[in-house]
Amino acid sequence: YTFNQSGIHRQVALLYQICKRIDPSLVGHLDAQGLQFLQFAFRWMNCLLLREFKLPIILRLWDAFLAEPDGGFKEFHVFVCAAFLLKWRRDLIGKDFQDLMMFLQSPPTGSWTDRDVEMLTAEAFVLKNLWGK
């Protein structure tokens, strides 16, 4: 724990930059609605998506993080969050601020399976290799 949680702020800023490069129209819509990434992604970074998924899914996801050779929880997690946000693009475009917040604070992941996590981590791996350092 650090006083101002600068590491989480850096991760949120990186998420914003990655998403802005990959899908500027989605980020433009979120910006136009006054939604700042800090308002939803801080929790994603701070809780490592624990609140967005059921425990068996989280264990599978964190296993993927541990398998990453270069900072799975620090770097790969950001790309997983980017893939997660971009997955919901069609659901997010057109929503206003309140609906965006409601959706992003409680995404419909209750029926997710290992296969869904595999697809998410595969997409994150592609994003990391295309858009990472």
Side-chain angles (χ1 to χ4, degrees):
Y1 176 80
T2 57
F3 172 70
N4 62 0
Q5 299 175 321
S6 59
I8 292 174
H9 285 271
R10 278 192 301 275
Q11 285 183 307
V12 171
L14 178 59
L15 176 64
Y16 179 82
Q17 291 304 317
I18 291 166
C19 291
K20 188 174 179 181
R21 288 174 31 206
I22 295 169
D23 194 338
S25 63
L26 173 60
V27 173
H29 173 67
L30 299 178
D31 287 344
Q33 293 303 311
L35 182 66
Q36 298 176 6
F37 272 54
L38 197 59
Q39 293 171 298
F40 65 90
F42 185 89
R43 182 172 99 172
W44 292 3
M45 301 306 170
N46 193 39
C47 298
L48 298 169
L49 296 171
L50 184 61
R51 296 172 126 192
E52 283 64 40
F53 296 106
K54 292 181 178 179
L55 187 58
I57 300 301
I58 279 296
L59 293 176
R60 174 63 185 89
L61 185 61
W62 290 357
D63 182 60
F65 291 176
L66 289 169
E68 273 294 302
D70 300 320
F73 284 96
K74 181 179 177 185
E75 183 180 342
F76 189 61
H77 175 62
V78 177
F79 286 95
V80 167
C81 290
F84 187 60
L85 180 64
L86 296 171
K87 176 188 179 16
W88 305 111
R89 181 190 200 287
R90 284 186 285 165
D91 297 291
L92 299 173
I93 293 292
K95 289 189 183 305
D96 64 12
F97 177 85
Q98 182 174 345
D99 290 337
L100 286 167
M101 282 300 294
M102 299 271 296
F103 187 92
L104 292 169
Q105 288 180 345
S106 186
T109 59
S111 63
W112 275 42
T113 65
D114 283 345
R115 179 78 173 132
D116 295 304
V117 173
E118 289 170 10
M119 295 301 293
L120 182 67
T121 55
E123 181 64 26
F125 182 78
V126 169
L127 294 178
K128 179 182 173 194
N129 285 304
L130 289 174
W131 302 95
K133 297 175 188 168

